[in-house]
Amino acid sequence: MSVRFLSSTALLLAVTAPVSAAEIPLGPGAGPPAETAERIPLAEAVRRAVARNPTVAVALDEISRADALVQQARAGWMPTLFGNGSYTRLEDNRPAKGPVALEANQLMGNLTVTVPIVAATSWAADHRARDQRRIADLSASDTRRLVAQSTANAYLAVLAQHRQIRVTEAALANARAHAEYAHTRLVGGVGRSIDDVRAQQDVETVAVQLQTGFTGLVRAREALGVLVGGDGPVDSIDDVDLGQMPALGDALEDAKARRPDIDVQRDRVVAAQHARKDVRAYYAPYLAAVGQPFLQKGTVIEPTFGWQAELLLTLPFYDGGARTGLADEREAMLAEARTNLEGALRQAQSEVRVAFEAMLHADQALLSARAEAQLAHKAYDLATVAYTAGATTELEVIDAARSARDAETDASQAEDVSRRARLDLLVASGRFP
């Protein structure tokens, strides 16, 4: 009678080696997901998401809107040209007899050119619109960062699901080998029916877990495909390298200097400072030159052709307290912007510290989880040897097999947590994407 159990070393190699969907052992029911998903690296997934994701597209539309508002604000201190025309019909010439002062048909047309010379409020509005344009640009960069983070998390989810499937398929192969051995013992007259049934039950239990893993992979692929703006599911490659992690001090400094959400808050403070200073523009006079050439027919009071020009000076003496209220409002806005910046900086620093500590603990947990998996497989090997020698029962073997599967699952999850902790640190420090 030959024993066909997988050794601990062979099982670990099977778990860590990349396995294609075609190689996944199929149990009763559905097989693995069809290999229709495009496999791309993480950098390409992030690039596509930033280029195609609707959230980023909306942020870019906001930049276009800010450009339009800048153009509208600039129009306040640019020259304007308007044309006017009218036609008047009287019941008859006036007077009807004698010299005509007004004809029954009167035509009039003119052009009005206004050139602002001193337009402080319009200049201030243009300045504020440009500040908002810069904020919209930085906000779009922050949106790209958030989309890239979500895409990377989705990518790691696909990667983790592949890892879990490899763990489960290796466990299923081992459970099948054990079930075959138990059945062979039963047929040979040295085994028990209960051992055969328990071994088959363990096979079906692992098969259920494998199908659950396939379902999770389908969902993870579809979620990644949506984020990258694809027309179908998107798959990951076998592994991901997030690069060298920064030291805590460097990460804290990078968070202040490189994160676009901090830049947004910082620029809002600058914009609020400009808005507060621009209140004095409402105390400035307004001076404009107005020119008006005209053409008219039907009256002898005015010439047929003519023009007029004037300088229009407006002095704001009293406005009922509107400027004082505006100054108080903008002072409050400045204080609010400064408070938001301080809060954002504290939050960013906290996120870096948490991510750094989480990375250290995740790495330690990963080492322990891998050691746990090795010990669990060793215990399974020992239980198998004892069972074949008749020194123990089927229950000990199945219990050891389940413990080994659980330990491998823990190691897979610990590996995923470690990757995500590194990603969180890069995002918190402004180094990703």
Side-chain angles (χ1 to χ4, degrees):
M1 185 183 306
S2 61
V3 180
R4 298 177 56 191
F5 294 119
L6 292 177
S7 67
S8 177
T9 302
L11 182 58
L12 285 173
L13 289 175
V15 169
T16 56
V19 179
S20 67
E23 298 170 339
I24 295 177
L26 297 181
E35 285 292 336
T36 58
E38 180 185 8
R39 296 170 65 88
I40 60 176
L42 174 60
E44 177 64 14
V46 171
R47 187 194 68 79
R48 292 187 188 182
V50 170
R52 302 177 182 176
N53 192 274
T55 305
V56 177
V58 171
L60 295 178
D61 289 338
E62 281 297 312
I63 295 178
S64 300
R65 177 175 173 271
D67 285 333
L69 292 176
V70 169
Q71 186 175 2
Q72 293 178 38
R74 185 187 299 119
W77 53 270
M78 296 292 289
T80 59
L81 175 64
F82 292 94
N84 298 289
S86 68
Y87 167 73
T88 303
R89 170 65 185 179
L90 302 179
E91 76 286 354
D92 202 349
N93 293 336
R94 296 181 181 176
K97 296 180 180 180
V100 177
L102 295 176
E103 295 180 2
N105 297 298
Q106 300 178 28
L107 297 174
M108 187 276 290
N110 65 59
L111 295 175
T112 302
V113 181
T114 303
V115 181
I117 300 174
V118 177
T121 55
S122 297
W123 297 336
D126 184 20
H127 197 184
R128 291 196 303 276
R130 292 177 185 274
D131 285 340
Q132 295 305 312
R133 168 58 172 81
R134 287 193 296 272
I135 291 174
D137 197 7
L138 291 173
S139 297
S141 298
D142 187 44
T143 299
R144 294 187 189 97
R145 179 183 71 97
L146 296 176
V147 169
Q149 181 182 10
S150 298
T151 303
N153 276 313
Y155 192 93
L156 294 182
V158 174
L159 200 64
Q161 204 62 41
H162 275 297
R163 164 76 175 177
Q164 186 59 45
I165 287 175
R166 290 198 294 269
V167 168
T168 309
E169 61 139 20
L172 181 58
N174 204 59
R176 283 176 171 168
H178 179 70
E180 181 180 347
Y181 176 68
H183 185 71
T184 303
R185 283 172 58 92
L186 177 63
V187 172
V190 294
R192 299 184 303 168
S193 296
I194 187 65
D195 291 342
D196 185 43
V197 171
R198 284 171 177 164
Q200 292 296 332
Q201 179 186 1
D202 192 47
V203 170
E204 298 304 325
T205 298
V206 182
V208 170
Q209 295 173 355
L210 183 59
Q211 296 303 319
T212 302
F214 289 152
T215 301
L217 179 59
V218 169
R219 290 175 176 169
R221 284 172 169 176
E222 289 291 344
L224 181 59
V226 169
L227 281 169
V228 301
D231 295 328
V234 173
D235 205 348
S236 66
I237 58 175
D238 292 332
D239 204 353
V240 114
D241 183 12
L242 295 175
Q244 184 68 30
M245 294 297 107
L248 179 58
D250 294 338
L252 290 171
E253 290 300 319
D254 287 345
K256 293 188 291 185
R258 302 176 64 168
R259 282 182 51 157
D261 57 331
I262 300 298
D263 291 338
V264 168
Q265 298 299 334
R266 193 176 287 119
D267 229 44
R268 282 176 177 165
V269 171
V270 174
Q273 289 173 337
H274 291 165
R276 183 188 61 177
K277 292 179 181 178
D278 288 344
V279 172
R280 59 191 177 188
Y282 292 89
Y283 292 86
Y286 175 80
L287 177 63
V290 180
Q292 189 179 65
F294 63 87
L295 167 67
Q296 60 183 7
K297 181 180 180 300
T299 174
V300 298
I301 301 175
E302 299 289 343
T304 303
F305 299 97
W307 61 269
Q308 64 183 33
E310 64 179 339
L311 287 176
L312 178 62
L313 177 64
T314 302
L315 299 175
F317 290 118
Y318 179 69
D319 60 4
R323 288 172 291 187
T324 302
L326 183 62
D328 292 343
E329 177 196 0
R330 294 187 177 177
E331 189 69 38
M333 290 174 61
L334 176 58
E336 179 182 340
R338 285 172 173 165
T339 301
N340 288 335
L341 174 59
E342 292 173 1
L345 286 170
R346 284 195 297 269
Q347 181 65 32
Q349 302 280 294
S350 175
E351 289 175 2
V352 169
R353 290 191 295 269
V354 169
F356 191 83
E357 289 293 329
M359 180 188 68
L360 296 180
H361 293 305
D363 288 348
Q364 188 60 47
L366 178 58
L367 292 176
S368 297
R370 286 173 174 171
E372 175 195 4
Q374 291 177 352
L375 293 172
H377 284 297
K378 185 176 181 180
Y380 174 73
D381 289 342
L382 293 174
T384 300
V385 171
Y387 175 70
T388 57
T392 186
T393 66
E394 175 76 10
L395 288 176
E396 281 77 8
V397 176
I398 292 179
D399 183 63
R402 289 175 179 172
S403 296
R405 290 199 302 271
D406 292 342
E408 277 296 335
T409 298
D410 290 343
S412 176
Q413 292 174 348
E415 185 178 334
D416 182 52
V417 170
S418 179
R419 284 198 190 98
R420 291 180 186 272
R422 280 169 160 69
L423 175 63
D424 290 343
L425 178 58
L426 292 176
V427 172
S429 62
R431 295 191 174 203
F432 186 88

